[in-house]
């Protein structure tokens, strides 16, 4: 994971997401790009907006972008990262990009150029909707997404939990995250009894990972009346995990929006970083 896209805003959540991204790119001399989307004003059918209205909106959007850029550069200085184009330093570096458009569409399309998209939960409020952005990244970019919590723990990626339900999405998430799994101290494959689709079990995944040099073990959790998502998060707490891997939306997205689901619950409640892929 040498290239990371980080939608960024002038707030502490974005700053924490920057710090975590820096931990990922530093060992591999990677590149982190901060992104701010310069949106157009919303137009309601029948509204006739004056030129002054567009000008005021553009001015406000540019003001917010400038504040975000200033904080982004300050984060780079604090982390000791060069601010310049990718590949010009030979070491880890960051850059800044502003693109006109709609946030979700831009993140979904521009994110295809990166190994990982990092999104901070609740970042950019009330200017942005992080849920729209993370779902657009998952469904449109073809890349994994790292969701960061509002505050960070002391470690990252040392004690990893894989939420395994035998699905294609889970297998894809594990494949994307292999560079991080190879650096972990412990990796625990967690299956929840009665949850999942037909396919290889957790012990089989752990065997595969050990063959690749990953220190993996596996066990199955009894839900005891809990939902799969709550069971997984409880197990992360019990183990002291500092990173969770989960396939996104094994159920259809529409069904999850109506009835809820493991992905939506984890997006809302996980207190540790989560890597997801669809």
């Amino acid at each position: 994971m040498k290239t990371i896209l980080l939608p960024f805003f002038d707030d502490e959540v974005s700053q924490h997401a920057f710090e975590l991204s820096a931990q990922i790119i530093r060992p591999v001399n990677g590149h982190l790009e901060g992104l701010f989307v310069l949106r157009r004003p919303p137009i309601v059918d029948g509204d006739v907006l004056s030129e002054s209205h567009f000008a005021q909106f553009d001015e406000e959007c540019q003001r917010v972008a400038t504040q975000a850029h200033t904080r982004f550069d300050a984060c780079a200085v604090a982390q000791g990262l060069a601010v310049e184009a990718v590949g010009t330093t030979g070491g880890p570096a960051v850059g800044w990009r502003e693109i006109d458009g709609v946030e979700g569409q831009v993140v979904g399309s521009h994110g295809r150029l990166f190994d990982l998209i990092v999104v901070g939960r609740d970042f950019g409020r009330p200017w942005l909707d992080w849920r729209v952005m993370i779902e657009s990244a998952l469904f449109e970019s073809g890349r994994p997404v790292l969701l960061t919590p509002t505050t960070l723990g002391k470690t990252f990626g040392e004690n990893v939990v894989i939420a395994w339900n035998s699905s294609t999405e889970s297998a894809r998430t594990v494949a994307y995250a292999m560079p991080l799994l190879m650096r972990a101290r412990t990796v625990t494959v967690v299956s929840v009894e009665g949850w999942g689709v037909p396919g290889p079990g957790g012990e089989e995944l752990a065997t595969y990972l050990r063959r690749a040099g990953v220190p993996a073990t596996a066990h199955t959790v009894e839900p005891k009346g809990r939902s799969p998502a709550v069971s997984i998060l409880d197990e992360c707490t019990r183990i002291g995990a500092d990173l969770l891997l989960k396939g996104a939306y094994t159920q259809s997205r529409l069904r999850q929006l109506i009835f809820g689901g493991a992905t939506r619950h984890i997006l809302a409640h996980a207190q540790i970083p989560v890597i997801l892929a669809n």
Side-chain angles (χ1 to χ4, degrees), residues 20 23-24 146 153-161 177-187 214-215 240-245 272-275:
L20 195 57
Q23 291 184 48
I24 298 173
L146 171 60
K154 295 180 179 179
T155 63
F156 167 73
E158 294 185 6
N159 189 1
V160 182
V161 163
M178 281 300 288
L180 296 178
L181 293 175
M182 295 293 291
R183 304 205 305 250
R185 287 192 299 105
T186 62
V187 175
V214 176
D242 57 11
L243 174 62
L244 171 64
L245 307 186
I272 59 175
V274 183
I275 293 181

Side-chain angles (χ1 to χ4, degrees), residues 74-253:
C75 289
V77 171
Q79 293 293 319
L81 299 176
V83 181
E84 52 189 289
V86 62
T88 59
T89 66
V94 302
W96 179 257
R97 185 79 176 266
E98 295 176 9
I99 300 178
D100 292 302
V102 178
E103 283 91 353
Q105 294 174 359
V106 171
V107 171
S109 61
H110 189 56
R112 297 166 194 163
L113 300 175
F114 297 83
D115 296 327
L116 179 68
I117 301 170
V118 178
V119 178
R121 183 198 291 128
D122 281 337
F123 92 107
R125 297 179 64 184
W127 184 267
L128 301 171
D129 186 337
W130 70 274
R131 294 178 185 273
V132 170
M133 200 168 295
I134 199 169
E135 292 196 348
S136 296
L138 283 170
F139 282 91
E140 302 298 332
S141 72
R143 300 296 185 176
V145 176
L146 171 60
L147 173 70
T148 65
T150 52
T151 58
L152 298 180
K154 295 180 179 179
T155 63
F156 167 73
E158 294 185 6
N159 189 1
V160 182
V161 163
I162 300 173
W164 181 249
N165 64 356
S166 307
S167 67
T168 302
E169 294 83 1
S170 297
R172 191 174 293 123
T173 305
V174 170
Y176 279 129
M178 281 300 288
L180 296 178
L181 293 175
M182 295 293 291
R183 304 205 305 250
R185 287 192 299 105
T186 62
V187 175
T188 307
V189 180
V190 174
S191 304
V192 179
E193 198 171 274
W195 175 62
V197 299
E203 290 287 354
E204 292 174 283
L205 176 63
T207 298
Y208 159 77
L209 291 172
R210 287 194 296 270
R211 287 170 179 161
V214 176
T217 60
H219 71 271
T220 300
V221 175
E222 294 183 13
K224 297 180 179 179
R226 301 169 298 175
S227 70
V230 172
S231 300
I232 292 165
L233 293 181
D234 285 350
E235 194 64 13
C236 287
T237 300
R238 187 188 72 80
I239 293 172
D242 57 11
L243 174 62
L244 171 64
L245 307 186
K246 186 193 177 301
Y249 300 106
T250 300
Q251 296 180 12
S252 73
R253 186 186 185 193

